[in-house]
Amino acid sequence: MADDREIAEIFKRESGRAVATLVRRFGDIDVAEEAVQEAFVEAVRRWPRDGMPPSPAGWIITTAKNRAIDRLRRESTRDDRHKEAVRLAEHDEPEEVEIVEDDQLRLIFTCCHPALAVNAQVALTLRLIAGLQTEEIARAFLVSETTMAQRLVRAKKKIKANKIPYRIPGDAELPNRLKPVLAVLYLVYNEGHVATSGEELMRRDVATEAIRLARLLADLMPDEPEVIGLLALMLLTESRRRARTGSHGELITLPDQDRDLWDRALIEEGHELVRACLRRNHPGPYQIQAAIAAVHTDAATAAETDWLQIIVLYDQLLVFTPSPVVAMNRAIALAEAGDVSTALDDLDDLGLAGYHLFHATRGTFLERIGRRSEAAAEYARARALTSNAAERRHLEEKARMVASE
Amino acid sequence: MTQYLMSVYYVDGEETPPDDVIQEMYADVNQLNQKMMDAGAWVFGGGLHTPDTATVVRSQDGEVLTTDGPFPEAKEQIGGFWVIEADDLDAALDWASQATIACRGPVEVRPFQDEPEA
């Protein structure tokens, strides 16, 4: 017998696919979403009594399709465009709705269309592709449910009014159109991983969701090395999750992590993907970041890290992404490789004053070359600039340690 | 098909480009207009005189008032526009990309509310 929890699981797994299928059929996101919601309401009513259908996903899609046709038929007396949709739905396709995997890919490109603001892209992707409820997305991004609902309504209105197409971009446009898609997934993952704020449990769900979406994208576009690179980067970052916080929620940075807590299965999968990317030899920023994560997870202890390899990879990354934050990470690798004074000079040239990680990094460098009072001042500056409680405690601890030495 | 308004913006009061640049711009815009017509995307388009030639008419308390000057108080003003017909936003953005290069200014794309008669 199907219980509510099982149906909720199926909703999470299948609603994205169902919505995408219906969007293709009816060309309207609202119609698709509402019909899929209604189908699940119907499932909650019927499945516990009648038992689970042989193909729950197929049942949901067929039921949703019938609901959508009912709705369009009701509205068609007022609106001729809908009449056309009903005609198409009734005559041009067989009763059973075929599930086309490309449907979700099409819809991902719609959700991440460059004409939409980034926060709308993120919200739409989580809602339409991942099947999260508006309230869940709002909680993960610390805005009110009303604000999130308005953001979604506005984005859907823009899609409809502008006729933003449901289409996989052609080869010529693909590199540019893939960029925001990857950026959205990475942003969603980081929101779950770095946890600028928000409820711990919800954030972990969001990170899991981002990985699921990256896997989906990798299944749909297996020939895009950057998609594989992004998935590898997420898996390798995720592999360290358990080691990243202590028993009181305090932050544990890479050198101090208990490497036995790292998830070997995720690391192996990530390494395999990185090797596949290297074989293909079409490097890009996500692949290089994944390669850097692979070097870290390859070392049995922090001391055994191949920092020279990491410096080379950061140099490659700087070609694609010449940002001061990337340059800061290169300086950190250089300091780890032993040249702290050059690293400090490089760091000071980046113009990153006011960014909390710059001050924390500067503190570490100064501490290492024995300028302890300056180091303590940098830790205090960094602490004042971050709102994450775990990071604040971590920085307070470092400031205390350097002062007491 | 959907109709889109493509407005070309510029900053009022900014120095006008030298004559040869303006001539080049006109030539590029004419070429793009012809391309739009050939593709069946063209509905209407043209350049406007500067905002200081504008007059605003509004109805207030049952009376119609006429005042001198442009309506928006912003520095950014419309210098010209196109109305085009396109299958979807991607097609419209493709025209807009060519338009911004031809006009040397940012182009805003907005869909019209009603679908044109088939």
Side-chain angles (χ1 to χ4, degrees):
Chain A
M1 275 298 111
D3 60 27
D4 285 2
R5 228 190 35 213
E6 239 174 304
I7 297 172
E9 272 305 305
I10 292 173
F11 181 84
K12 217 161 187 177
R13 223 172 41 234
E14 301 293 347
S15 71
R17 217 154 52 138
V19 167
T21 306
L22 265 79
V23 168
R24 171 172 54 89
R25 280 294 302 278
F26 298 101
D28 188 298
I29 293 173
D30 284 327
V31 168
E33 269 196 300
E34 195 170 305
V36 171
Q37 289 280 357
E38 282 178 20
F40 273 98
V41 169
E42 184 76 11
V44 169
R45 209 166 57 80
R46 287 177 55 171
W47 293 358
R49 195 186 62 207
D50 305 345
M52 192 88 86
S55 160
W59 189 95
I60 289 292
I61 290 177
T62 305
T63 307
K65 188 202 71 177
N66 292 334
R67 289 304 177 94
I69 291 172
D70 286 348
R71 172 178 164 180
L72 293 175
R73 191 179 286 134
R74 276 198 311 274
E75 291 175 2
S76 67
T77 46
R78 302 195 301 264
D79 192 328
D80 282 342
R81 272 181 298 162
H82 284 163
K83 216 177 259 168
E84 180 62 18
V86 173
R87 193 191 62 76
L88 281 170
E90 282 178 339
H91 299 295
D92 289 0
E93 287 195 43
E95 184 58 27
E96 203 48 47
V97 184
E98 188 197 354
I99 295 171
V100 183
E101 291 300 340
D102 277 0
D103 284 344
Q104 275 193 285
L105 192 54
R106 263 187 273 276
L107 197 53
I108 289 175
F109 278 106
T110 308
C111 293
C112 299
H113 196 281
L116 299 166
V118 171
N119 64 16
Q121 295 174 347
V122 169
L124 280 173
T125 303
L126 286 175
R127 167 91 203 169
L128 297 178
I129 311 296
L132 294 192
Q133 301 294 322
T134 305
E135 186 253 334
E136 295 176 297
I137 308 168
R139 256 196 297 152
F141 288 89
L142 274 199
V143 298
S144 74
E145 194 178 344
T146 319
T147 304
M148 187 52 77
Q150 281 166 348
R151 192 177 294 172
L152 283 163
V153 166
R154 199 185 152 263
K156 285 189 275 189
K157 185 183 159 205
K158 179 154 189 186
I159 290 173
K160 198 170 181 172
N162 274 286
K163 271 211 201 165
I164 292 181
Y166 310 107
R167 180 199 299 141
I168 299 163
D171 288 347
E173 314 159 75
L174 193 60
N176 269 331
R177 292 289 311 277
L178 195 53
K179 266 183 219 159
V181 174
L182 298 177
V184 162
L185 295 194
Y186 194 42
L187 206 136
V188 170
Y189 178 76
N190 272 324
E191 190 54 38
H193 178 72
V194 181
T196 46
S197 41
E199 276 176 49
E200 174 61 28
L201 190 66
M202 194 56 229
R203 287 194 310 261
R204 201 175 309 143
D205 278 358
V206 166
T208 309
E209 212 43 67
I211 291 175
R212 194 177 71 84
L213 292 175
R215 281 190 192 284
L216 175 70
L217 198 64
D219 281 345
L220 296 170
M221 308 185 88
D223 295 326
E224 287 299 325
E226 278 294 88
V227 174
I228 310 299
L230 175 63
L231 175 59
L233 175 60
M234 285 184 187
L235 294 176
L236 292 172
T237 312
E238 188 65 13
S239 73
R240 304 197 293 251
R241 174 184 289 281
R242 269 190 307 159
R244 216 177 158 264
T245 41
S247 46
H248 306 294
E250 73 275 21
L251 185 75
I252 304 175
T253 51
L254 194 53
D256 299 324
Q257 286 175 7
D258 175 359
R259 297 185 177 215
D260 288 338
L261 291 177
W262 289 0
D263 186 324
R264 301 314 310 182
L266 289 181
I267 290 175
E268 258 163 54
E269 192 186 352
H271 283 190
E272 184 47 52
L273 294 172
V274 169
R275 280 193 293 272
C277 288
L278 287 174
R279 280 195 298 274
R280 220 176 300 208
N281 197 22
H282 285 290
Y286 290 108
Q287 296 173 76
I288 296 168
Q289 289 178 80
I292 292 168
V295 175
H296 280 301
T297 44
D298 227 6
T301 64
E304 287 168 70
T305 307
D306 185 351
W307 289 107
L308 293 178
Q309 180 65 37
I310 289 179
I311 293 170
V312 169
L313 288 166
Y314 272 120
D315 283 334
Q316 288 181 26
L317 185 57
L318 278 166
V319 174
F320 288 99
T321 328
S323 84
V325 174
V326 175
M328 181 177 87
N329 286 322
R330 187 199 183 274
I332 292 172
L334 185 63
E336 291 292 342
D339 193 351
V340 183
S341 56
T342 309
L344 185 59
D345 287 345
D346 289 353
L347 187 68
D348 285 341
D349 286 342
L350 297 175
L352 279 173
Y355 174 49
H356 75 280
L357 288 179
F358 164 79
H359 294 287
T361 303
R362 196 159 192 280
T364 314
F365 289 3
L366 290 166
E367 183 178 351
R368 215 171 289 174
I369 52 175
R371 289 155 66 176
R372 286 208 295 274
S373 57
E374 289 169 80
E378 289 294 354
Y379 290 141
R381 239 167 255 149
R383 185 203 168 277
L385 288 165
T386 179
S387 57
N388 180 300
E391 274 191 62
R392 290 177 79 121
R393 277 195 301 276
H394 175 71
L395 289 161
E396 278 161 24
E397 180 66 15
K398 290 191 84 158
R400 209 172 47 77
M401 297 271 283
V402 72
S404 69
E405 268 169 36
Chain B
M1 293 289 253
T2 300
Q3 292 193 338
Y4 297 86
L5 173 69
M6 302 201 306
S7 319
V8 184
Y9 278 87
Y10 77 104
V11 176
D12 191 30
E14 247 182 25
E15 214 178 311
T16 45
D19 238 17
D20 52 330
V21 175
I22 300 242
Q23 288 313 316
E24 240 174 47
M25 192 177 90
Y26 283 155
D28 289 351
V29 168
N30 278 336
Q31 214 177 358
L32 179 60
N33 287 343
Q34 192 56 51
K35 201 171 163 189
M36 286 175 177
M37 288 172 198
D38 293 346
W42 167 278
V43 177
F44 186 76
L48 299 171
H49 281 293
T50 49
D52 54 16
T53 62
T55 311
V56 175
V57 179
R58 79 189 97 195
S59 153
Q60 212 167 289
D61 306 325
E63 209 183 336
V64 172
L65 293 173
T66 304
T67 48
D68 172 47
F71 181 69
E73 285 165 15
K75 280 207 310 277
E76 297 81 11
Q77 296 280 343
I78 292 180
F81 65 90
W82 281 275
V83 177
I84 60 159
E85 219 159 66
D87 279 337
D88 56 38
L89 184 66
D90 283 356
L93 292 181
D94 190 32
W95 286 119
S97 311
Q98 300 178 55
T100 187
I101 292 168
C103 296
R104 282 92 167 150
V107 173
E108 181 193 280
V109 179
R110 272 169 79 171
F112 277 86
Q113 271 187 355
D114 294 314
E115 290 191 323
E117 295 300 313

